[in-house]
């Protein structure tokens, strides 16, 4: 016989003989595989549920939420979840909804003030080291999300879109777990375009425990949920059409590029409450190779090697081909802004580089004398920042940096800073083409740096290849940097010294 204990979110069963507690059900978690959890993840599950753990007795391994004393001996228990953690969520810089409207959304820009802590470290030329590390997930080519998903504590997820595998980090056991799809779960694999998901917290839908995000797949757009106790995941269909580009949100309207039954490109609009909206046929446009959408000036922009697709909610989408022989250099970065608020993209016409105005029928073009790497006003020509217009001359502070090449990874937007700041890679003693450095060429020496009010060298990397595969993310009050070739994910503490 088992005694039944009910808490506001869960139902527990107490074995009358052994006194052990077993979780029978919990809001939003579906089927509970408690025996598997009890074997190795009891502490993590207790933190996730806000349950209680013994401190000085062994009458039970875990107690229901709210238990303050052991019912057998009366000794005090450790009550978890009473003071929820307040770490900021992370969905990738492309999904930061807290950026102001005058900053393009969908670029590697975060609203987190990372520099307040990082700039307290010894400045360059001193070379620092990472503070902590974690093993990479089993499927290393992935995107990261750090959130609570309705639970008392934040947890880290890593989704490998190429294989459709969702992975969960257990911070107490320091091990990755591969989430098992529940019956009927859709294949999460997606490779038609750059990957991007939309957090459920950005939408106007009732919150559900375990909710993660809207995810694009080859068969449709799905609502993804997790059960971290049983290490499973599940999906719910939102749009049943093959998705060909990451979805975007603008003015409470969701835009999704899909493949129409006739093989043409279509744009499906949904409300922020996921209600169906108008659908548009975009004609014979490419069905692969699009960027993540960029939101700016009330419009969503999908960029492609053949042109751009621009959509303002309430209107039909517009296709704008690139002019003449001009082609975008998408690997060099993303769009940036001029001082008058227009958005520009770097490209090449076969003879020289130039910036092209985005979103207009007859775009203005501004010639430049060399490649510039970056996005959202975090721009560099060789090793020097560009601090005025995107096509202005670089700001030279140290002539020795002519022999280096700087690749921005993440901009940290902060209103109280006159110049952009962010995380960059600096390739030393590099004099080749920028495109070669971003491909398979091995860079002998690279430093990971923070550029801001003070420039800080965070770490040094030997023999780096494919630097565009570096993925920065924020989790547990640390800035992390991941590369699929590394055997450790490097992390730097973000605690501001007092």
């Amino acid at each position: 016989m088992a005694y039944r204990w009910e808490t506001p979110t869960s139902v527990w069963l107490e074995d009358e003989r052994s006194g052990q507690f077993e979780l029978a059900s919990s809001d939003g978690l579906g089927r509970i595989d408690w025996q598997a959890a009890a074997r190795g993840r009891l502490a993590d599950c207790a933190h996730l549920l806000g349950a209680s753990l013994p401190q000085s007795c062994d009458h039970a391994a875990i107690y229901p939420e709210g238990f303050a004393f052991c019912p057998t001996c009366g000794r005090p228990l450790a009550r978890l979840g009473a003071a929820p953690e307040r770490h900021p969520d992370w969905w990738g810089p492309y999904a930061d909804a807290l950026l102001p409207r005058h900053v393009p959304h969908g670029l590697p820009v975060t609203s987190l003030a990372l520099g307040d802590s990082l700039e307290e470290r010894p400045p360059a030329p001193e070379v620092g080291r990472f503070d902590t590390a974690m093993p990479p997930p089993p499927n290393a080519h992935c995107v990261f999300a750090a959130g609570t998903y309705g639970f008392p504590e934040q947890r880290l997820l890593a989704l490998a879109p190429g294989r459709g595998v969702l992975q969960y980090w257990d911070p107490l056991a320091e091990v990755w777990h591969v989430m098992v799809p529940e019956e009927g779960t859709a294949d999460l694999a997606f490779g038609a375009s750059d990957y991007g998901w939309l957090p459920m917290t950005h939408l106007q839908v009732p919150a559900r425990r375990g909710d993660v995000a809207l995810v694009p797949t080859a068969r449709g757009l799905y609502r993804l949920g997790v059960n971290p106790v049983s290490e499973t995941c599940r999906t719910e269909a939102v749009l049943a059409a093959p998705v060909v580009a990451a979805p975007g949100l603008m003015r409470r309207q969701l835009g999704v590029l899909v493949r129409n039954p006739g093989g043409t490109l279509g744009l499906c609009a949904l409300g922020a409450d996921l209600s169906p909206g108008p659908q548009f046929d975009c004609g014979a446009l490419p069905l692969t190779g699009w960027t993540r959408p960029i939101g700016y000036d009330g419009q969503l922009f999908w960029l492609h090697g053949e042109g751009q697709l621009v959509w303002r909610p309430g209107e039909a989408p517009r296709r704008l081909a690139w002019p003449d022989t001009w082609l975008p250099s998408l690997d060099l970065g993303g769009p940036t802004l001029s001082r008058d608020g227009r958005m520009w993209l770097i490209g090449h016409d076969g003879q020289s580089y130039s910036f092209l105005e985005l979103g207009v029928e007859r775009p203005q073009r501004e010639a430049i004398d060399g490649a510039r790497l970056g996005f959202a006003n975090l721009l560099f020509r060789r090793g020097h920042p560009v601090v005025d217009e995107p096509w202005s001359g670089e700001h030279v502070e140290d002539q020795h940096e002519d022999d280096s090449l700087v690749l921005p990874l993440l901009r940290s937007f902060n209103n109280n800073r006159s110049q952009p700041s962010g995380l960059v890679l600096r390739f030393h003693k590099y004099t080749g083409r920028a495109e070669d450095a971003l491909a398979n060429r091995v860079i002998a020496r690279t430093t990971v740096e923070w550029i801001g009010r003070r420039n800080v060298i965070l770490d040094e990397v030997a023999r780096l290849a494919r630097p565009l595969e570096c993925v920065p993310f924020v989790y547990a009050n640390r800035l992390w940097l991941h590369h699929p070739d590394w055997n450790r994910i490097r992390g730097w503490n973000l605690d501001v010294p007092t």
Side-chain angles (χ1 to χ4, degrees), residues 406-477:
V406 170
L407 172 65
L409 296 179
L410 175 67
R411 181 190 167 186
S412 178
F413 179 82
N414 199 326
N415 273 320
N416 64 6
R417 298 191 173 218
S418 58
Q419 297 297 336
S421 58
L423 184 71
V424 306
L425 297 178
R426 187 182 299 274
F427 311 136
H428 293 266
K429 302 298 182 182
Y430 182 83
T431 56
R433 297 175 68 246
E435 289 86 349
D436 295 337
L438 305 181
N440 288 322
R441 182 167 177 175
V442 177
I443 311 299
R445 178 174 179 257
T446 302
T447 49
V448 182
E449 301 185 15
W450 179 265
I451 304 294
R453 288 174 177 158
R454 291 204 305 175
N455 294 354
V456 178
I457 301 177
L458 298 173
D459 201 4
E460 186 173 2
V461 181
R463 300 187 59 79
L464 176 68
R466 305 183 313 281
L468 291 177
E469 294 185 7
C470 285
V471 180
F473 63 94
V474 177
Y475 162 66
N477 207 32

Side-chain angles (χ1 to χ4, degrees), residues 293-482:
I294 298 158
Y296 183 67
D297 192 27
Q299 303 175 98
L300 288 177
F301 297 75
W302 285 270
L303 306 180
H304 192 277
E306 297 184 10
Q308 51 184 313
L309 188 68
V310 184
W311 178 58
R312 184 185 299 274
E315 302 176 3
R318 296 180 295 137
R319 177 199 177 181
L320 301 174
W322 305 123
D324 306 329
T325 58
W326 190 92
L327 292 175
S329 300
L330 296 174
D331 283 345
L332 299 185
T336 188
L337 298 180
S338 55
R339 288 188 175 272
D340 59 7
R342 289 181 290 171
M343 193 160 60
W344 304 75
L345 183 67
I346 190 172
H348 201 281
D349 62 5
Q351 299 295 324
S352 61
Y353 293 98
S354 61
F355 276 99
L356 186 77
E357 183 183 2
L358 292 180
V360 294
E361 296 284 350
R362 295 179 176 82
Q364 182 177 332
R365 195 183 304 190
E366 294 288 345
I368 51 178
D369 58 356
R372 289 158 192 234
L373 277 64
F375 45 82
N377 301 109
L378 186 62
L379 286 178
F380 286 82
R381 184 181 184 278
R382 301 299 305 174
H384 307 295
V386 178
V387 297
D388 194 20
E389 299 284 15
W391 48 84
S392 298
E394 65 269 32
H395 182 63
V396 179
E397 293 182 346
D398 186 348
Q399 294 286 354
H400 292 92
E401 299 302 344
D402 286 344
D403 293 332
S404 68
L405 182 68
V406 170
L407 172 65
L409 296 179
L410 175 67
R411 181 190 167 186
S412 178
F413 179 82
N414 199 326
N415 273 320
N416 64 6
R417 298 191 173 218
S418 58
Q419 297 297 336
S421 58
L423 184 71
V424 306
L425 297 178
R426 187 182 299 274
F427 311 136
H428 293 266
K429 302 298 182 182
Y430 182 83
T431 56
R433 297 175 68 246
E435 289 86 349
D436 295 337
L438 305 181
N440 288 322
R441 182 167 177 175
V442 177
I443 311 299
R445 178 174 179 257
T446 302
T447 49
V448 182
E449 301 185 15
W450 179 265
I451 304 294
R453 288 174 177 158
R454 291 204 305 175
N455 294 354
V456 178
I457 301 177
L458 298 173
D459 201 4
E460 186 173 2
V461 181
R463 300 187 59 79
L464 176 68
R466 305 183 313 281
L468 291 177
E469 294 185 7
C470 285
V471 180
F473 63 94
V474 177
Y475 162 66
N477 207 32
R478 294 184 178 100
L479 171 66
W480 302 86
L481 187 62
H482 166 64

Side-chain angles (χ1 to χ4, degrees), residues 154-207:
Q154 187 183 76
R155 287 296 183 265
L156 180 66
L157 296 176
L159 173 62
R163 297 185 176 181
V165 177
L166 185 65
Q167 299 150 115
Y168 170 88
W169 173 248
D170 182 342
L172 302 178
E174 296 187 340
V175 65
W176 287 96
H177 298 279
V178 174
M179 306 289 268
V180 178
E182 295 180 3
E183 184 177 355
T185 297
D187 185 357
L188 298 178
F190 182 76
S193 79
D194 291 341
Y195 194 83
W197 50 19
L198 276 176
M200 295 304 302
T201 52
H202 292 187
L203 304 174
Q204 297 175 336
V205 294

Side-chain angles (χ1 to χ4, degrees), residues 67-131:
F67 273 41
F69 302 95
C70 173
T72 302
C73 66
R75 293 183 180 179
L77 306 175
R79 296 182 59 186
L80 305 175
E85 293 181 341
R86 297 301 179 190
H87 295 322
D89 286 352
W90 178 269
W91 298 95
Y94 309 99
D96 194 324
L98 299 181
L99 292 171
R101 289 185 177 180
H102 68 273
V103 177
H105 290 219
L107 296 174
V109 183
T110 177
S111 60
L112 301 180
L114 305 178
D116 292 348
S117 169
L118 297 176
E119 291 169 8
E120 294 297 324
R121 297 167 181 265
E126 181 168 335
V127 178
R129 292 289 290 168
F130 55 90
D131 302 320

